[in-house]
Every structure is written in structure tokens, then in C-alpha cells.
Amino acid sequence: MKFYVIGISDAPRPYLPPEVISLICKGRVFSGGKRHYGLVAPYLPEGSQWIEITTPLDAVFGQYHEEVIVFASGDPLFFGFANTIKRKMPDAEIVLFPSFNSLQLLAHRLVMPYHDMRVVSLTGRPWPEFDRALIERAEKIGVLTDREHTPGAVAQRMLEYGYIGYQMHVGEHLGNPKEERISTLTLEEAAVREFDYPNCLILCGHAKARPYGIPENEFALLDGREKMITKAPIRLLTLQALELQQKRVLWDIGFCTGSVSIEARLQFPHLHVEAFEIRPECEALMQENSRRFGTPGISYHIGDFLETDIDALPRPDAVFIGGHGGHLKEIMARVLTVLANDGCIVMNSVTSPVVHTDSHQLFNEACAELDLTQEPPTRIILNDNNPIEILKCKR
């Protein structure tokens, strides 16, 4: 298979260089989206075949044979159809004729250098990569939008999680001289405005410094009880034990105030975090604290972990057990049904001379019964608090 992939703008009659015109005149099979056909139809030879690119893509690729000329938007390698061809047909020959992508065009209109721009696509994609760019405090973010992830929706999400120090530049119908519009707005203005599609945006600004170890008194607490939250130094050592710098999915079982999930998301923004809590009143705490510390994207589940449907969730390679209600063995056994082969389980055990606790013993017994390998515990005494042991095991 051989593909000629031609990037075009949104102009009513997009400019095509002579070599591309010559290629089209000799072509017989063409492909692209419905919008692309409307733009290039006058250039196509009489009697040629047009294969519309629509879902499911397997049906589209099933119609491709020998040689196809494909029209795509802007740069076909910039979140474009050339990437899809490389994924679906890795052995296919691809010849590219790129144009400017929409974010380049917007930067050109703004006379804005874009070599330092962080690029995120929300076109048919969920929020995680955009959330990561925010948490990592990127100062210039280019965003490809769709009809759901609009500039207004982006602005609303940023305001909800406290990322207020940005200005938004929006380009609508870029490359179309009759309809093109460039707007520079505050997030508050963008959040209530409607924009024509297609559009894209560039965010410029600064976010407040990302804390390293959030003081426990800054969290909204369960009934105001500071003893119900993992203290900052213990929290950071717990994250270190979880080896999160090289993990992908963290499960936080018994999240309470959400402190471990939130700290993990702040320090390791690449992580996908699933949090579980049996107490319904903790849902509001997770929401409030996530907004307070700017950590969008934490998925949480309210209810008994042992009864929660976990089959469709991403498999964890790091699990923190912050609370078990006396069912530690059952929880660890259930975690093992989904834990990645290189995964680990960490929990903190408090040693109190007043309140009897057998969490450490239960952990030891569970590890023995489930054939898990334990690492030496880390014992910590913080100020005048009771000693805490950070327990860890692996498959």
C-alpha cells in the first residue's frame, strides 16, 4: 500500500502546490473527512472514487487498496491521519505534503513564538493529559479542542481547580479568510462564551507554586479531626515506598480526606489515580480538597471496596491501603486479582500503647497466606505522635 497524505487548510479553496495538483490529476482513489471533500471536490478528476473517513476505521481501511490520496487537516503527523495509517498499516509507504497545523496558525496570527509550547489534544480524548499540563505548571499550553472539550469547558475546568493565572487565546475557522476570528480573553470571559467550531486555543500564564508535602492543617478534615489524616512527612515517605515515579496507576483504598491521592497527583502528575472510601461524607472532602490543591482527574468510588465493581478499572501497579475496617486480608486478596505483576502494596500501621491495633500482624499474616514478599518496614516517630511503621510487599 502507498498513501499520499496531503495536509490542507480550512480555506474555501485551499492552496495546493503544483506537484500536488499534478498528483491529484493522476489519482483515482481519494479519501478524507466529509469536510475535506467539500473543500477539495473541485480538484478531483471526473470518475474518481471518494472513500469517506468515518468510524469504524477498520471498515475504512478495508476499502483501501494499492494507492490512495488522502486529505487531512494541517500537518497529518500532528495528531493527524498519518499517525493512524502508521498504526493500522505499519508497512505502508507514506508520502507527506504537510501544511501548517491549527496551533501553528494561531501562534502566527498572534506573532507568538511557540517552540516552548506544551501541546495537548482533547480531540476525541479525555482530560488526563490536559490536567497533567496544568499540574506541572506549563506556562504555555496549546490545546486542540472538539465539540465537547470546548474553550468554554476548558476555562470552566481551570477555574474550578484554581488555575486562574492564565489568559486564553482562541482561534476559530483558522485559514478561512471570511470566517477566521482571533480572540484574547480572561478565563472568566471564555467560560461563558460560545465559540464556532473548528477552533483551537493557546493558554499563557503562571500557576501558583506546587507544594511539596501539603501541611495537614490546610486540608478540609473529617469532622475537624487532624488525627484522621496522614501527616505530610509520613505521606511523602509513603509515596516514596510506592515507587510512584515509575508506576502508572495508583489505587488509594480508604482515602478519607484524599490527602494521599492528592499528594500523589501533585508530585507525579502522570499517574492515573483511583480512590476508594466507604464513608459517604468523604466524597465532599475529596471534591473540596481536590479543588483546593488543583488536582483534577482523581477518580473516586464511594462504598465498600469489597463490593465495588473493579473489573473495568485500570489495573494498579501501586496500591496504598489507608483504611481496612478489620478486613485487611480480604482487601489484599481482592487487590491481588488485579495487581500488575510488578505492583506493590503499601500501608501504614500505627503503634499505640492505648488503643490495641493488630494491623501489622494482619499484614504479616496476609503476606504469608498470599505468598507476598515483604520488605523491611520503616519505623517513624514524628514529634509526640505514636510510632508509625510503613509496611510494603510485592508479588
Side-chain angles (χ1 to χ4, degrees):
M1 277 293 300
K2 185 172 185 177
F3 290 90
Y4 295 93
V5 188
I6 302 168
I8 59 174
S9 71
D10 278 336
R13 291 294 296 270
Y15 169 76
L16 298 174
E19 59 182 326
V20 170
I21 294 291
S22 175
L23 179 66
I24 291 173
C25 289
K26 300 174 184 176
R28 288 294 175 264
V29 180
F30 299 86
S31 189
K34 185 176 182 179
R35 182 169 58 88
H36 298 131
Y37 181 77
L39 295 173
V40 303
Y43 297 98
L44 303 183
E46 189 173 341
S48 61
Q49 178 187 4
W50 179 267
I51 300 172
E52 183 173 336
I53 298 175
T54 185
T55 55
L57 287 177
D58 286 343
V60 175
F61 276 83
Q63 300 178 65
Y64 290 158
H65 299 285
E66 295 185 6
E67 190 172 285
V68 182
I69 298 174
V70 179
F71 294 95
S73 297
D75 182 349
L77 285 175
F78 187 77
F79 299 98
F81 196 70
N83 297 334
T84 305
I85 296 173
K86 288 174 68 67
R87 186 177 69 253
K88 294 278 189 180
M89 305 182 74
D91 296 328
E93 181 183 355
I94 301 174
V95 180
L96 289 172
F97 298 89
S99 181
F100 288 119
N101 66 63
S102 59
L103 288 174
Q104 286 176 311
L105 287 175
L106 180 54
H108 293 165
R109 301 294 189 268
L110 296 167
V111 194
M112 177 188 291
Y114 60 87
H115 61 276
D116 56 346
M117 183 166 63
R118 175 83 166 266
V119 176
V120 174
S121 176
L122 292 175
T123 306
R125 293 173 168 86
W127 291 107
E129 284 304 311
F130 177 72
D131 293 342
R132 179 177 178 178
L134 290 181
I135 295 170
E136 292 179 346
R137 274 52 178 177
E139 296 183 358
K140 187 183 295 179
I141 309 173
V143 183
L144 300 175
T145 61
D146 62 16
R147 296 185 185 277
E148 177 183 354
H149 301 91
T150 64
V154 169
Q156 289 167 14
R157 191 171 184 85
M158 296 177 72
L159 291 170
E160 180 180 0
Y161 288 93
Y163 291 92
I164 58 177
Y166 286 85
Q167 190 176 54
M168 181 181 287
H169 306 280
V170 182
E172 302 166 78
H173 297 289
L174 291 168
N176 186 328
K178 292 184 178 180
E179 299 183 38
E180 180 177 292
R181 182 165 60 245
I182 311 296
S183 306
T184 297
L185 310 131
T186 66
L187 295 180
E188 289 81 2
E189 291 170 336
V192 296
R193 179 167 161 179
E194 297 291 330
F195 297 89
D196 288 346
Y197 190 79
N199 58 60
C200 65
L201 62 95
I202 297 176
L203 295 160
C204 296
H206 300 273
K208 61 183 180 181
R210 187 170 68 189
Y212 184 75
I214 307 168
E216 50 270 16
N217 59 9
E218 293 186 12
F219 284 91
L221 302 171
L222 181 62
D223 299 327
R225 293 179 287 172
E226 284 194 25
K227 291 187 177 181
M228 296 296 292
I229 187 171
T230 305
K231 303 295 187 292
I234 307 298
R235 198 183 314 130
L236 294 176
L237 286 171
T238 299
L239 300 189
Q240 184 273 334
L242 287 162
E243 305 173 24
L244 296 182
Q245 71 277 7
Q246 56 193 19
K247 302 299 185 183
R248 299 175 305 279
V249 180
L250 167 67
W251 283 16
D252 178 7
I253 301 173
F255 66 74
C256 192
T257 61
S259 65
V260 171
S261 290
I262 288 167
E263 191 81 64
R265 191 90 169 101
L266 276 179
Q267 306 311 330
F268 305 96
H270 70 279
L271 276 178
H272 180 102
V273 181
E274 297 282 345
F276 305 83
E277 176 57 57
I278 195 169
R279 291 167 291 192
E281 61 267 32
C282 292
E283 179 176 11
L285 290 178
M286 174 64 89
Q287 292 174 345
E288 181 177 349
N289 287 323
S290 293
R291 294 186 181 109
R292 184 176 296 187
F293 299 108
T295 52
I298 296 173
S299 299
Y300 59 85
H301 313 268
I302 302 298
D304 188 338
F305 174 77
L306 296 174
E307 298 177 2
T308 301
D309 183 6
I310 61 174
D311 291 339
L313 300 180
R315 292 182 63 191
D317 48 11
V319 176
F320 174 66
I321 302 177
H324 55 81
H327 299 286
L328 180 59
K329 291 183 180 181
E330 296 92 329
I331 289 173
M332 290 178 65
R334 191 163 200 230
V335 164
L336 278 188
T337 65
V338 293
L339 186 68
N341 291 334
D342 60 344
C344 65
I345 301 173
V346 171
M347 70 168 287
N348 297 334
S349 175
V350 181
T351 303
S352 171
V354 179
V355 180
H356 174 69
T357 176
D358 57 357
S359 291
H360 196 159
Q361 180 182 340
L362 287 173
F363 186 83
N364 291 342
E365 292 174 0
C367 290
E369 293 173 12
L370 299 171
D371 196 25
L372 296 168
T373 301
Q374 291 180 255
E375 295 191 0
T378 301
R379 183 179 173 86
I380 305 163
I381 300 177
L382 185 64
N383 300 328
D384 58 352
N385 296 297
N386 293 317
I388 291 177
E389 290 183 303
I390 299 177
L391 311 176
K392 179 178 180 179
C393 64
K394 295 183 176 181
R395 286 187 181 276

